[in-house]
Amino acid sequence: MVNREACLTVTDLKRVPRRHEFEVHLSNGESFKILSEDVQLKAIAVGTELSEQVIEDLRQRCQYRHCMEIVERLFRIRPRTRYEIIRKLRKSGFPKDICEKVTGDLER
């Protein structure tokens, strides 16, 4: 069961044009993007309450997808080393843990 005090309410949900994402606005004034598939899987709509952990998981899934899209574009040009990929992703502003997860998954 989710602690009600630690939950934030979705106040608005807007589809991002030309992307498979939605922008979620929360009751505390924050907004962030999530994947369209997560809107359906988690049944997110205006009025839905989300815990801080669920919000963080949704943010990370979206960041992971963005990282993978960047890496796919890089690979279309030429093969890249792990160092090149991490350097590009970090330069783009992604957190170190997401960069490591992407490169680890690619190596597997």
Side-chain angles (χ1 to χ4, degrees), residues 37 42 49 60 63 72 81 85 94 102 104:
E37 62 199 47
K42 304 270 186 197
E49 292 186 347
Q60 285 189 358
Q63 285 182 333
E72 288 170 3
T81 65
I85 292 168
F94 291 102
V102 166

Side-chain angles (χ1 to χ4, degrees), residues 48-61:
T48 302
E49 292 186 347
L50 303 173
S51 70
E52 291 291 336
Q53 182 60 48
V54 169
I55 292 168
E56 185 58 29
D57 290 346
L58 292 169
R59 282 182 174 152
Q60 285 189 358
R61 282 178 46 81

